[in-house]
Amino acid sequence: MQMPVTSTYDDAPRIVIWELTRACALACRHCRAEASPYRNPRELTTTEAFALVDAVTECGKPLFVLTGGDPLMRDDIYKIVEYGTSKGLRVAVSPSATGRLTQNALDRLAQAGCRRISLSIDAPDAQAHDAFRGVRGSYKRTIEGIGMAQRAGIQVQINTTISRFNHARIEEMGELMKPLGIALWSVFFLVPVGRAQQSECLDARETEAAFGKLYRVATGAPFAVKTTEAPHYRRFVAQREAQMPPRERPENAAAPLRFGAIGDGRGFVFISHTGDVYPSGFLPYEAGNVRDARLVEIYRNDPVMQRLRRPDDFGGKCGLCEFRYMCGGSRARAYGFTGDAFAEEPSCSYRPAATTREVLSA
């Protein structure tokens, strides 16, 4: 079996997500940001946005993702993308499928230097997707947006939220993605935060079954497949491929194992629309504010951030698991279910060898 990756990313984040605004015209049933139609006057200004870009460059060259709400609700989005690109950052944008997603908007993003956008598809048909997103026509706009982005020379990533609403249709969605020419399918396993409820989250058995479906899609897909807030998919892939001869291991399916696990506060940091810094958008622990301190120093020195990068300190089976550095569990989901970010991952069915030995010796 492949040995667990031990990267902890103590020096700096590899992915920085900035929520430019919480304003959005959609009404998604799972929305982390609990978005509203209006912008908050306390949002970072354009001048502060440029200062934030400078702060992100102090972290090295992380991927810098501009999200929301809907980042297209800010007219200065193009200036911010252009400034970030001029500083050598890889800047991606996550717009909403609304009337603001036009060919002109995407052409302007491309001219500013954006090379990838992410759009969301949460069901393989318009009726179900629109019901999830809360607005009729959002599925049609998403499909049109994919084509417009590609005409503008921008790569497209598709994000999908997996919950009890759609987990039975994962393979249908995979088939839908195949002819779309996307670069990546990023599959987010629901965390009970914002509008999302615990009752909508998959349990451990359902999660393991969903991993099997994702793996089957990944083995035949012309795009890469990754998970968000489900690092135990890496454990699933490692176990599955350990049973195969090396020549039979599919390249796409193994993609998640090529780098150390990135997750809440571990190679990953989230900045709110008002500058507050969090381990992720799904773990509501405020570590500081970019208006008051350097981003890289908050990331490196905050004690909770530091502990999130030490899987040996996690509680329950996660701290004992032989895959704890490769995986580590979703700290956001642990918090959402127990109130303790360091508790064991509630949606993982795997029993580590150490816990099995404990049971046998009891």
Side-chain angles (χ1 to χ4, degrees):
M1 181 178 295
Q2 180 170 335
M3 292 297 293
V5 180
T6 58
S7 300
T8 56
Y9 306 113
D10 284 330
D11 57 336
R14 302 313 192 258
I15 301 174
V16 176
I17 309 285
W18 174 31
E19 170 195 75
L20 277 77
T21 181
R22 286 193 171 180
C24 182
L26 298 181
C28 304
R29 59 191 281 179
H30 69 291
C31 183
R32 167 202 59 78
E34 299 183 271
S36 72
Y38 307 106
R39 291 180 56 187
N40 186 329
R42 295 180 56 244
E43 290 173 4
L44 298 184
T45 66
T46 303
T47 299
E48 288 174 322
F50 287 173
L52 176 56
V53 169
D54 293 337
V56 173
T57 64
E58 293 182 346
C59 299
K61 301 294 183 184
L63 175 64
F64 188 35
V65 182
L66 306 180
T67 187
D70 181 5
L72 293 179
M73 294 288 280
R74 287 187 57 147
D75 294 335
D76 59 357
I77 177 68
Y78 310 104
K79 293 179 181 179
I80 295 169
V81 171
E82 185 175 29
Y83 188 70
T85 301
S86 75
K87 292 293 184 176
L89 295 174
R90 295 171 295 149
V91 183
V93 180
S94 183
S96 298
T98 72
R100 289 178 177 264
L101 188 66
T102 63
Q103 188 67 64
N104 179 61
L106 289 162
D107 288 342
R108 291 182 68 187
L109 284 177
Q111 291 162 10
C114 175
R115 293 293 172 261
R116 180 176 290 193
I117 67 165
S118 62
L119 297 170
S120 295
I121 295 178
D122 296 298
D125 63 85
Q127 183 177 2
H129 172 91
D130 290 356
F132 191 80
R133 290 283 157 181
V135 174
R136 289 185 63 183
S138 62
Y139 180 89
K140 181 174 182 290
R141 283 199 175 108
T142 299
I143 298 300
E144 291 172 346
I146 294 170
M148 289 189 292
Q150 291 167 340
R151 286 192 292 275
I154 300 175
Q155 288 186 334
V156 177
Q157 167 183 319
I158 293 296
N159 298 339
T160 297
T161 298
I162 295 297
S163 67
R164 289 225 163 90
F165 166 78
N166 61 359
H167 71 106
R169 307 187 73 182
I170 287 174
E171 287 168 301
E172 286 181 72
M173 286 186 279
E175 288 301 312
L176 171 70
M177 308 291 174
K178 287 182 180 179
L180 296 180
I182 66 172
L184 176 69
W185 188 20
S186 179
V187 184
F188 166 70
F189 281 70
L190 194 67
V191 170
V193 66
R195 294 186 188 131
Q197 303 298 312
Q198 280 193 22
S199 59
E200 298 174 302
C201 299
L202 304 189
D203 62 25
R205 179 187 59 81
E206 291 166 332
T207 298
E208 199 77 1
F211 287 168
K213 296 171 186 175
L214 274 182
Y215 187 83
R216 288 192 290 274
V217 171
T219 58
F223 47 81
V225 175
K226 69 174 285 290
T227 57
T228 299
E229 295 297 350
H232 36 324
Y233 178 63
R234 299 164 60 82
R235 181 266 306 161
F236 179 94
V237 172
Q239 288 182 300
R240 178 67 62 92
E241 301 204 345
Q243 301 169 3
M244 301 179 183
R247 70 186 66 178
E248 295 180 11
R249 295 171 188 167
E251 183 176 353
N252 270 3
L257 306 182
R258 293 176 186 161
F259 49 87
I262 291 176
D264 311 303
R266 183 178 174 188
F268 189 103
V269 71
F270 177 90
I271 302 151
S272 81
H273 59 303
T274 57
D276 294 326
V277 178
Y278 298 88
S280 79
F282 309 102
L283 179 51
Y285 166 75
E286 183 183 330
N289 190 288
V290 296
R291 285 172 164 145
D292 306 319
R294 294 169 60 213
L295 175 63
V296 71
E297 294 301 328
I298 295 172
Y299 175 85
R300 288 176 181 168
N301 299 329
D302 179 82
V304 172
M305 289 279 205
Q306 290 177 341
R307 189 178 173 195
L308 288 167
R309 298 192 287 272
R310 297 198 301 265
D312 291 345
D313 291 350
F314 296 168
K317 65 183 182 182
C318 284
L320 301 171
C321 185
E322 58 269 35
F323 294 101
R324 61 189 176 276
Y325 280 89
M326 176 185 284
C327 168
S330 167
R331 300 299 96 213
R333 185 174 296 103
Y335 179 86
F337 273 79
T338 70
D340 179 2
F342 304 100
E344 66 180 48
E345 162 66 71
S347 72
C348 180
S349 64
Y350 179 65
R351 293 196 62 81
T355 62
T356 303
R357 288 195 294 270
E358 288 180 1
V359 170
L360 293 175
S361 61

